[in-house]
Amino acid sequence: MMFIRQLSICLTLLFSPFVASDELQQAAIASAHPLATQAGLEILQQGGNAFDAAVAVSAALAVVEPAGSGLGGGGFWLLHRAEDGFQTMVDGRETAPAAAHRDMYLDDNGKVDKQLSLDGALAAGIPGVPAALDHLSQHYGRLPLTQTLAPAIRYAQQGFSVTKHYQQLAQFRLTTLNQSAEARTTFLTNGQVPELNSKIIQHNLAATLQQLAQHGRAGFYQGEVADKLINSVQQAGGIWTQQDLRNYQVKERTPITGSYQGYKVTSVAPPSSGGIVLLSMLNQLEQLDYQHADIHQQRHLLTEVMRRAYFDRSRYMGDTDFVSVPVQKLSSKTYAKTLAATIDNQLASSSKQLAAPPSKGEDTTHFSIIDNQGNRVSATLSINYPFGSAFVADGTGVLLNDEMDDFSAQIGAANVYGLVGNEANAIEANKRPLSSMSPTFIENDQQLMVIGTPGGSRIITMVLLGILDFINGEDADTIVSKPRFHHQYLPDVIQVETPGFEAAELTALEQRGHNIKPLNRRYGNMQIIIHDKHSNSLTAASDPRGEGMARVH
Ligand code: DON
């Protein structure tokens, strides 16, 4: 009886022209906040696809995880459409205002004034999230924005509960939040960190979301909301104009693709460095005796490939609409061979000696979705630092980003994540700052993973480690939980999560000549979904370091 049933299922699958090969019995969402995951599930239940759910989750995160992303920020949505296998990257990264110029964050002595690119209205790029949500909805969704933004509007009106994580980040940005009248009243209680479980209600943000729901992008970049944004930014010393808002454009870009050990890797193109750096690291590993090395040797090799890929990041990468980046070369196997050839099997290289340093010239969020048709979204969204610039434009509820700090304020000067950059990432009017956000898909004919995380410069190496664990057969919960380490060329240290590593493990790296920097904290907030193609089942996991929720439905 059982056999007959199975046979008939097999025959149906073989002969039915209506069953797409990607079709699933389940859907899954993993995001950094339970209410955002719930918003996405609600939209799937209403007949929305993964792209509608992505709109709902993005907007919900903008409300309930204000420290991480929002309407005042940007992001990248990597999409896979099941019906035809089409893959694209929706680029809603912020752009520099037209009045921006390369020296805008230098003081009178020509030194970088770090505060200017991090705190307040001058630190903010032109937001891309509202336009990107409209774009996703128009081109890929089934449901109107009035429906997909409804959960976020409800959360803004009814409030969300203050958690420990919120308290920590509000404490971290307390001084700057207090400098913006609307940030102070919205995110603090009498200028102090709000109590645990108290409610953050955002009526102005609800009204702005309603404008977006009713009028699409025009509801944000034109009209009343735009007027308020411009007035408030200019009064606070910012340089945005109405024209900047009107000119903002979402771009669709061809993802970066490559292969590793027979798996297909799909990730993001510039203005993110993520896809190229990731492939460079994987390609180098393929050239090395990595698979058979013991764990200490593997970490040595991983550090060396990280060092070289991040060195290229600092030398070559920027917004390809403005500068030419040798994308093909940097992500090719032949080039990786030349890089890998410079790796000593026993000893650490020195970043200083790798080549001349660049010559002249936390927060953020990630979510992963697969719907029951097999449509997928991997999206990483950001306002950069926790609570972005900590500036809320009066009357809008919109917390602005400080993504301008992702540019190289000066050639060779480190940004807030310690990243150095070259001419390619210098500030220019309308240019997009170089990002590390790396929403990624990896698959072969057995299994598939949708992966991504926040974490500034460490994002790309977290995705790398996650991919290697996945290929190694680890399950979703294990992958998001494993201890992490990171090297980014400069500073020339291995940053390690502590607790996480035994003293002996660190000694093994020191003996090979590496400098260890214990971080005394954990980092990242990875959200993944794995599709096992044999059993056609999904598993999902949300990083235990965060407060997120993963659900298979
Ligand atoms: O685009 C980037 O690379 C950064 N703005 C991301 C910032 C981030 O992930 C902070 N999170 N901890």
Side-chain angles (χ1 to χ4, degrees), residues 84-137:
D84 56 0
F86 174 71
Q87 303 202 127
T88 188
M89 159 189 177
V90 174
D91 170 1
R93 181 71 163 165
E94 299 88 336
T95 53
H101 57 93
R102 56 181 297 143
D103 297 336
M104 64 188 280
Y105 298 121
L106 304 188
D107 65 17
D108 295 343
N109 302 316
K111 285 241 159 68
V112 177
D113 181 339
K114 282 194 186 291
Q115 242 181 349
L116 290 181
S117 63
L118 283 176
D119 300 340
L122 191 63
I126 304 303
V129 166
L133 297 188
D134 190 23
H135 183 97
L136 281 166
S137 178

Side-chain angles (χ1 to χ4, degrees), residues 379-401:
T380 312
L381 317 178
S382 182
I383 48 174
N384 198 28
Y385 221 37
F387 287 95
S389 66
F391 178 83
V392 175
D394 291 337
T396 67
V398 178
L399 178 59
L400 303 188
N401 69 86

Side-chain angles (χ1 to χ4, degrees), residues 365-382:
T365 197
H366 178 88
F367 65 85
S368 298
I369 302 181
I370 301 184
D371 70 16
N372 61 11
Q373 304 296 300
N375 296 306
R376 302 173 217 154
V377 180
S378 183
T380 312
L381 317 178
S382 182

Side-chain angles (χ1 to χ4, degrees), residues 257-426:
T257 51
S259 68
Y260 178 70
Q261 305 281 340
Y263 282 82
K264 181 181 175 198
V265 182
T266 307
S267 192
V268 281
S272 178
S273 60
I276 304 174
V277 171
L278 183 62
L279 270 177
S280 168
M281 295 188 293
L282 290 169
N283 287 338
Q284 290 178 68
L285 282 185
E286 262 186 351
Q287 300 296 327
L288 301 166
D289 195 14
Y290 176 76
Q291 298 294 327
H292 305 109
D294 70 26
I295 182 79
H296 305 303
Q297 181 64 8
Q298 285 191 334
R299 290 194 184 125
H300 165 67
L301 295 175
L302 281 169
T303 303
E304 292 304 320
V305 306
M306 290 174 184
R307 182 199 309 281
R308 283 158 180 76
Y310 274 78
F311 174 51
D312 281 346
R313 182 192 195 279
S314 75
R315 288 199 285 182
Y316 297 121
M317 295 184 209
D319 180 354
T320 40
D321 290 346
F322 284 74
V323 291
S324 115
V325 177
V327 176
Q328 294 302 331
K329 176 185 154 185
L330 295 176
S331 41
S332 74
K333 299 221 186 262
T334 32
Y335 176 66
K337 207 170 186 170
T338 64
L339 288 183
T342 67
I343 295 177
D344 185 312
N345 222 17
Q346 308 297 328
L347 271 184
S349 312
S350 140
S351 288
K352 246 196 216 139
Q353 280 159 10
L354 210 55
S359 61
K360 199 169 182 293
E362 185 162 315
D363 230 53
T364 295
T365 197
H366 178 88
F367 65 85
S368 298
I369 302 181
I370 301 184
D371 70 16
N372 61 11
Q373 304 296 300
N375 296 306
R376 302 173 217 154
V377 180
S378 183
T380 312
L381 317 178
S382 182
I383 48 174
N384 198 28
Y385 221 37
F387 287 95
S389 66
F391 178 83
V392 175
D394 291 337
T396 67
V398 178
L399 178 59
L400 303 188
N401 69 86
D402 55 0
E403 222 77 64
M404 293 293 285
D405 190 70
D406 279 346
F407 280 117
S408 306
Q410 198 172 42
I411 305 310
N415 77 353
V416 77
Y417 305 108
L419 290 168
V420 292
N422 211 335
E423 202 65 48
N425 191 31

Side-chain angles (χ1 to χ4, degrees), residues 5 86 107 126 132 137 143 189 217 240 243 258 272 341 349 361 390 395 399 414 427 444 461 475 494:
R5 224 186 89 216
F86 174 71
D107 65 17
I126 304 303
S137 178
L143 305 179
T189 309
R217 62 166 285 161
W240 291 13
Q243 205 56 33
S272 178
S349 312
L399 178 59
I427 305 173
N444 65 5
T461 56
D475 63 27
I494 305 181

Side-chain angles (χ1 to χ4, degrees), residues 11-194:
L11 290 176
T12 317
L13 287 172
L14 272 176
F15 297 114
S16 167
F18 304 110
V19 179
S21 60
D22 278 350
E23 204 152 312
L24 285 151
Q25 309 297 320
Q26 300 167 309
I29 301 181
S31 91
H33 199 288
L35 289 175
T37 300
Q38 267 167 28
L41 293 173
E42 186 177 318
I43 291 303
L44 290 179
Q45 272 156 10
Q46 290 171 16
N49 60 18
F51 313 120
D52 294 308
V55 172
V57 174
S58 306
L61 287 167
V63 175
V64 301
E65 198 198 17
S69 67
L71 294 191
F76 304 120
W77 293 255
L78 187 65
L79 313 184
H80 172 95
R81 190 169 57 200
E83 63 185 24
D84 56 0
F86 174 71
Q87 303 202 127
T88 188
M89 159 189 177
V90 174
D91 170 1
R93 181 71 163 165
E94 299 88 336
T95 53
H101 57 93
R102 56 181 297 143
D103 297 336
M104 64 188 280
Y105 298 121
L106 304 188
D107 65 17
D108 295 343
N109 302 316
K111 285 241 159 68
V112 177
D113 181 339
K114 282 194 186 291
Q115 242 181 349
L116 290 181
S117 63
L118 283 176
D119 300 340
L122 191 63
I126 304 303
V129 166
L133 297 188
D134 190 23
H135 183 97
L136 281 166
S137 178
Q138 298 267 346
H139 292 85
Y140 298 100
R142 289 187 197 137
L143 305 179
L145 282 175
T146 44
Q147 200 168 344
T148 50
L149 297 185
I153 294 170
R154 202 173 66 227
Y155 297 153
Q157 285 165 342
Q158 296 175 357
F160 70 91
S161 298
V162 169
T163 60
K164 267 206 174 116
H165 186 62
Y166 180 99
Q167 286 185 315
Q168 283 160 359
L169 296 177
Q171 181 64 47
F172 179 66
R173 296 293 269 153
L174 192 61
T175 312
T176 319
L177 285 167
N178 265 304
Q179 284 158 8
S180 158
E182 193 162 322
R184 181 185 152 97
T185 51
T186 311
F187 298 119
L188 303 175
T189 309
N190 301 321
Q192 296 301 318
V193 174

